[in-house]
Each structure stands twice: as structure tokens, then as C-alpha cells.
Amino acid sequence: MYADPSGDKYNKNQNQGNLNSCVTTKSAAENSKGESNSLWTPTSKQSDLWNKGKLKAHYEKHGISEFGAKTSKEYSDMAYKFGTMKSNNIIEAVEGPYVYRYEASTGNIFVGTLKGGKIKSFYKWDGKADDAVIKTLKKLGKL
């Protein structure tokens, strides 16, 4: 069983179809300018970016104190922008049903779903070694 930072769990041994543990390096997603495209593709409906009730909780936990967001929409927009931003400074990987993105210079961490394009979490890493995303990126050889 693996738990993502938002508390959701999935069993790596479950049949995930084409979502079984895979790792894609940013070089595989580079655009013609040499910038890395995001491996996360958001849902087309902005109102469906977060599971019901999750945006408010994440905004209250991370949005105000970590990002200075004035509203939950502003926080959601920040998460969306980071999740889709093209950058060679973002470390990115896919494992199971999740896309993980981390930018060392800002400490920003993003978790989105590979299928369905939802945002699971967006926060600033507090430097603790037991962070689930950091541990995953280390395990995959990204850090």
C-alpha cells in the first residue's frame, strides 16, 4: 500500500492498467525549445480539478500560510500553474496513478493524478526527510 501526501492510498499490486509503476524522465517530455513539458495533463473543467471538498481543506492547510493565497481559487490557480508549468528546474516523475513535481529552489511540491487530471496536493516542502513525495523521488533516483 502506498499513501500519497493527501492521504489517499492505492495498492501497487492492483491492476492499474497502463498506470502500473512507471517513471518518465523530463527529457522524454521536452519541447522544441528544450524546456520540459509537464507530465501532468489537467482535466478540461476547472471546477473538476479537485475532488469534492478537498480544495477548501488544502487551501486552509497550505494556501494561506505557505503561498499567501487570499482565496481558494487563487491557491487552485497557483497549483494549476505549477502543475502545468514548463521548466527545466522541476524534477518530475510518474509512479502508479500519480504525477509528482518538485522544484528545489522554491520547495514547491505538486501531486496530480495521471488519469483524470486532478490535483491531489500542492504545498511547500518543510525539509523533513519523511515527506512522501521526496521519498518517492529519491526511490526513483530523481533526487
Side-chain angles (χ1 to χ4, degrees):
M1 233 7 149
Y2 174 79
D4 81 15
S6 68
D8 288 344
K9 296 178 180 176
Y10 77 91
N11 184 335
K12 284 187 174 184
N13 297 324
Q14 280 180 323
N15 181 5
Q16 299 281 335
N18 65 353
L19 301 180
N20 278 336
S21 185
C22 63
V23 179
T24 306
T25 61
K26 66 182 180 180
S27 61
E30 284 184 6
N31 65 21
S32 61
K33 295 179 185 175
E35 297 172 319
S36 295
N37 294 319
S38 175
L39 297 174
W40 180 69
T41 304
T43 180
S44 58
K45 284 183 66 178
Q46 286 278 340
S47 61
D48 289 341
L49 280 172
W50 297 82
N51 285 333
K52 189 174 181 176
K54 296 292 185 179
L55 173 56
K56 183 177 187 258
H58 279 270
Y59 166 68
E60 290 171 355
K61 183 175 181 180
H62 305 292
I64 301 166
S65 63
E66 296 172 25
F67 295 99
K70 305 283 189 236
T71 65
S72 60
K73 179 174 182 344
E74 183 181 9
Y75 169 68
S76 182
D77 290 346
M78 290 174 177
Y80 179 92
K81 182 178 178 182
F82 186 79
T84 57
M85 180 172 44
K86 296 177 183 178
S87 174
N88 289 330
N89 298 320
I90 295 175
I91 297 165
E92 184 172 47
V94 173
E95 183 174 65
Y98 300 111
V99 175
Y100 300 99
R101 304 190 92 209
Y102 168 62
E103 186 175 46
S105 64
T106 62
N108 290 349
I109 290 179
F110 173 91
V111 180
T113 60
L114 187 59
K115 186 176 180 180
K118 296 213 179 254
I119 299 170
K120 298 300 286 179
S121 194
F122 180 58
Y123 61 98
K124 289 199 179 278
W125 182 38
D126 59 11
K128 294 180 181 172
D130 65 345
D131 181 272
V133 173
I134 296 301
K135 285 171 68 173
T136 298
L137 292 173
K138 283 182 178 180
K139 179 186 83 175
L140 297 173
K142 298 291 186 172
L143 293 177

